[in-house]
Amino acid sequence: FSNPAAMSLFASIDISSYGNINSVAVKNGIVACAIENNTPELNGFVVFFNTNGVFQKQVTVGALPDMVTFNHAGTRVLTANEGQPNTAYTIDPEGSVSIIDISGGIPSLSQSNVTTALFTSFNSQMASLKASGVRIFGPGSTVAQDMEPEYVTISDDDMTAYVALQENNAFAYVDLTTNTITDIKPLGFKDHTNANYGIDATSSGSNINIANWPVKGVFMPDGMTHFSVGGVDYLITANEGDARQYGSYDEEATVGAATYSLDPVAFPYASIMKNNAALGKLKCTNTLGDTDGDGDFDEIYTFGGRSFSIWNATTGTLVYDSGDDLEELTAKDPVYGAIFNASHDDLVFKKRSASKGPEPEGVAVATIAGNLYAFVSMERIGGLMMFNINNPAAPQFVQYVNNRSTTTLTGDRGPEGIIYVKQSDSPTGKALIVLGNEVSSTVSVYEIACPTASASISASGSATVCAGEIVSISTNTLSGATYTWYNNGSLISGANAATYTTTVAGNYSVKLNNVGCSINSNSLTISVEALPSLSLTANTNSICSGETVTLSIAGASSYTWTDNSSNATYSATPSTTTDYSVTGTGS
């Protein structure tokens, strides 16, 4: 990766002897791999390697570890153990979160360092959790069995883990001081009848129709991360959606299916809605919507939000949802609008419109040039959306980039993993976004061009001074920034603060680094004028007390004597030996 434009494979590790690999995380020279058991319903493993690929240790975690991550301090490794049922749905292992304490170092790691946090304490709360909106619907499953952790992000202070429960449409909270799950919060549903919350709901026809259909979306986030603004912690999620489909159990239906009956009062135009040109092909769940229990559906719930959302991390309440922006932006894109809602393995226009649309998959956040940005990957049509999230309640679209072909199945397709590489960690000296594309089996690397940003420098006083006077030059201060100062284009050694003082003339500038890009300032010319050469004479060198002496000054354009008189000559009648001084100022 020393040259991201020409990456080269230098080693490969065969994982098959351990099980099936689901996730990789790296920190401080440690590689942690989440491995599911060859019998996925049994406990899985985290296998540790060093960055040369040499095996270090293996420990057991919960069933089907789907995602692995380090805490910020690098002292713990956490896994989201999804615990999916077997195909026959006769075995449903408990979902869980495993916490591995590696503070003592990998060589001394043992199974005693692993704590697996379970949901068993919530088994007695099934009725209240369901009533609150948490989806618990696996046949015969307890709460602990039904919970399916998908993704983990950890608070900046390493005290709390936030866990996405995708199929359950909820968040779980893990207290990392006690290693226990303390809360489950429902995410609620997205009403597509609201303004700017429309969807393109049919794969039929050649027209894009992003409309306010009478449908509700189940957020069901996959990737998520966290950030803070103004002292408030937030979670940001990519609302992919995911149905439970097993050999003996399938929650997925279509609105047009004969077995999916719409309530005639709630939907008086049911026959029109069931037409394939309307909602007939839209995939929906058969586990929600029969509000009165009479066997037909009074509400329609479809999978995923086709959006990203921002939530208050403490309360779990929704702060912002991107509505129909992802579909609107791709529909209007001058290049990729031609394959709107195509899948990652074909080029069929609108194919995914009836099933989760662009399918946002992953999300990363980064502070660049003092602004906070969210990067959202879209699994189906591909590529990356960027939004400014300085105001979490009102993000602003910045850019959409994609690298797949619109005419052939080439380029990067099916982005899954997403990471941000800071400028200080990048081999190019510029911040990077890296995507892992699971369909094309490729890695995309996008370089972050510095957004429209500049640093300004100014002198604390006049930029023109006399020789020997000190000039203080200051620039913007950005959190985390490092500073390099230049005079006439040459680096000033040791000048690395936001303020620089000098007595030397020149053309000064500064560069702000480590803020996601490098920001160059304007230039400021400091002029240092030579001191005037003064000549002071007297009409006599010695007088008696009471006599007058005349002093004369030359060499400057103006003068100031001790008593503030300003003539070029000065008459004094001292009674004792006295010193007189004069300041001359040049042009």
Side-chain angles (χ1 to χ4, degrees), residues 260-337:
Y260 192 85
S261 299
L262 294 175
D263 183 88
V265 176
F267 301 108
Y269 303 104
S271 60
I272 297 174
M273 290 172 59
K274 280 178 162 287
N275 190 289
N276 285 346
L279 296 179
K281 293 183 179 181
L282 181 68
K283 293 182 179 180
C284 54
T285 177
N286 56 28
T287 66
L288 294 169
D290 183 7
T291 58
D292 53 14
D294 64 354
D296 58 26
F297 290 91
D298 310 280
E299 297 175 330
I300 301 170
Y301 289 84
T302 190
F303 302 102
R306 306 191 185 197
S307 62
F308 72 91
S309 296
I310 296 175
W311 315 79
N312 182 294
T314 303
T315 64
T317 54
L318 182 67
V319 174
Y320 170 83
D321 184 81
S322 64
D324 52 23
D325 283 358
L326 302 187
E327 284 193 300
E328 287 282 5
L329 290 165
T330 52
K332 295 173 183 176
D333 188 86
V335 176
Y336 294 97

Side-chain angles (χ1 to χ4, degrees), residues 46-110:
V46 172
V47 181
F48 291 94
F49 300 87
N50 63 24
T51 48
N52 292 319
V54 178
F55 171 83
Q56 303 293 298
K57 290 283 184 174
Q58 176 176 325
V59 293
T60 300
V61 294
L64 195 64
D66 198 45
M67 183 263 184
V68 62
T69 189
F70 286 81
N71 70 351
H72 301 286
T75 57
R76 291 182 173 187
V77 172
L78 276 70
T79 58
N81 308 315
E82 195 164 7
Q84 286 184 343
N86 63 352
T87 301
Y89 225 118
T90 55
I91 302 172
D92 189 1
E94 295 181 344
S96 60
V97 177
S98 293
I99 303 103
I100 307 168
D101 184 352
I102 61 170
S103 59
I106 299 299
S108 62
L109 182 65
S110 69

Side-chain angles (χ1 to χ4, degrees), residues 255-526:
V255 173
T259 55
Y260 192 85
S261 299
L262 294 175
D263 183 88
V265 176
F267 301 108
Y269 303 104
S271 60
I272 297 174
M273 290 172 59
K274 280 178 162 287
N275 190 289
N276 285 346
L279 296 179
K281 293 183 179 181
L282 181 68
K283 293 182 179 180
C284 54
T285 177
N286 56 28
T287 66
L288 294 169
D290 183 7
T291 58
D292 53 14
D294 64 354
D296 58 26
F297 290 91
D298 310 280
E299 297 175 330
I300 301 170
Y301 289 84
T302 190
F303 302 102
R306 306 191 185 197
S307 62
F308 72 91
S309 296
I310 296 175
W311 315 79
N312 182 294
T314 303
T315 64
T317 54
L318 182 67
V319 174
Y320 170 83
D321 184 81
S322 64
D324 52 23
D325 283 358
L326 302 187
E327 284 193 300
E328 287 282 5
L329 290 165
T330 52
K332 295 173 183 176
D333 188 86
V335 176
Y336 294 97
I339 56 169
F340 171 77
N341 275 356
S343 194
H344 44 37
D345 55 1
D346 62 48
L347 297 168
V348 180
F349 182 72
K350 283 169 57 76
K351 181 177 181 179
R352 297 297 299 178
S353 288
S355 180
K356 298 184 284 187
E359 216 162 309
E361 176 78 19
V363 61
V365 296
T367 300
I368 301 171
N371 292 298
L372 193 61
Y373 294 93
F375 301 86
V376 182
S377 63
M378 293 183 293
E379 182 176 3
R380 295 294 174 165
I381 193 170
L384 191 67
M385 290 276 187
M386 286 158 277
F387 294 84
N388 181 307
I389 56 172
N390 286 342
N391 180 357
Q396 299 295 314
F397 171 70
V398 176
Q399 189 180 9
Y400 172 50
V401 294
N402 201 340
N403 190 42
R404 69 177 291 184
S405 171
T406 60
T407 56
T408 63
L409 290 178
T410 56
D412 299 321
R413 293 171 290 120
E416 179 86 9
I418 177 173
I419 60 170
Y420 172 71
V421 181
K422 294 188 296 184
Q423 182 187 15
S424 56
D425 294 331
S426 168
T428 68
K430 295 184 178 181
L432 307 171
I433 289 286
V434 184
L435 300 178
N437 303 283
E438 64 180 356
V439 174
S440 56
S441 296
T442 55
V443 174
S444 315
V445 184
Y446 292 97
E447 188 174 86
I448 305 294
C450 198
T452 303
S454 61
S456 60
I457 59 174
S458 59
S460 58
S462 174
T464 300
V465 295
C466 294
E469 288 187 327
I470 296 174
V471 181
S472 179
I473 313 170
S474 297
T475 186
N476 313 57
T477 56
L478 291 178
S479 177
T482 58
Y483 304 86
T484 49
W485 286 88
Y486 299 84
N487 184 5
N488 296 325
S490 298
L491 179 69
I492 303 173
S493 178
N496 51 19
T499 299
Y500 179 68
T501 56
T502 184
T503 60
V504 179
N507 195 31
Y508 286 86
S509 62
V510 68
K511 181 183 288 186
L512 278 64
N513 302 298
N514 203 33
V515 290
C517 57
S518 295
I519 304 174
N520 293 312
S521 75
N522 61 305
S523 60
L524 177 67
T525 299
I526 300 298

Side-chain angles (χ1 to χ4, degrees), residues 122-134 136 143:
F122 295 91
N123 283 342
S124 61
Q125 302 177 40
M126 180 180 290
S128 61
L129 288 169
K130 283 185 174 181
S132 73
V134 178
I136 304 170
V143 172

